[in-house]
Amino acid sequence: MTIEDCKLVELPRFLDSRGNLSFVEQLNHIPFEIKRTYWIYDVPGGEERGGHAFLTNEEFIIALSGAFDVIVDDGRLKKVFALNRSYYGLYVPNGLWREIRNFSTNSFALEFGSVKYSTEDYIRDYDEFLKQKNNGEI
Ligand code: TYD
């Protein structure tokens, strides 16, 4: 996997004077079956989350409220996706290092995953990630 495999997906939008509506569907806008949904909220200023890679978990990340940056790294190149609209989602495949930074006040990150939570699915050490990436293990 490389950062070219990340995809920013524009989601459907129904603009309405009563309030707008957007939605996502698995195996459609989200290119995998959803096994897990979690969210990150109440992030204090200056904090960052998620410095890790997943061996198998694919993710789809939406800034439901506010804004933050998702930094994706394939061991050769890095790319910053600035998420700041609730009708865009970022698909991040497995095997990439990713961090989330620059959370705005009251931001709310919604994340869908393709596998259930498992500590064995994480690489939390960047050097270990690079080693496995360079060996072609991930
Ligand atoms: P963690 O993955 O370490 O957060 P970060 O994205 O910042 O690396 O998760 C923080 C804690 O939440 C950790 O103790 C495990 C727990 N957790 C679950 O139990 N289930 C989940 O789906 C997630 C994402 C985390």
Side-chain angles (χ1 to χ4, degrees):
M1 295 297 170
T2 75
I3 54 173
E4 298 303 319
D5 298 304
C6 293
K7 295 217 168 12
L8 200 55
V9 180
E10 186 169 358
L11 301 172
R13 264 194 297 167
F14 290 87
L15 303 180
D16 192 311
S17 55
R18 299 169 301 161
N20 302 335
L21 183 149
S22 287
F23 65 92
V24 279
E25 293 173 352
Q26 62 179 356
L27 303 177
N28 182 2
H29 319 95
I30 298 181
F32 54 78
E33 252 182 62
I34 299 164
K35 291 281 165 48
R36 183 160 57 110
T37 306
Y38 62 98
W39 48 99
I40 297 171
Y41 54 100
D42 291 348
V43 180
E47 285 297 333
E48 54 190 66
R49 305 265 333 189
H52 54 62
F54 291 114
L55 296 175
T56 64
N57 187 47
E58 300 165 71
E59 294 179 284
F60 192 86
I61 306 172
I62 302 176
L64 264 196
S65 169
F68 49 81
D69 294 335
V70 182
I71 298 101
V72 187
D73 177 341
D74 60 16
R76 287 181 54 246
L77 295 170
K78 284 186 193 194
K79 191 165 177 180
V80 179
F81 292 91
L83 299 186
N84 53 19
R85 293 282 183 268
S86 61
Y87 50 88
Y88 276 93
L90 177 66
Y91 168 69
V92 182
N94 55 313
L96 299 180
W97 188 265
R98 74 109 173 108
E99 295 171 13
I100 309 182
R101 289 191 192 158
N102 298 329
F103 288 91
S104 70
T105 307
N106 289 332
S107 57
F108 177 14
L110 182 64
E111 306 201 15
F112 301 95
S114 67
V115 303
K116 288 191 173 176
Y117 181 74
S118 158
T119 49
E120 280 88 68
D121 201 46
Y122 281 71
I123 302 174
R124 290 189 180 274
D125 182 83
Y126 186 70
D127 290 336
E128 179 62 26
F129 164 73
L130 282 184
K131 195 179 102 196
Q132 294 200 25
K133 203 74 184 162
N134 291 333
N135 288 345
E137 293 171 50
I138 52 169

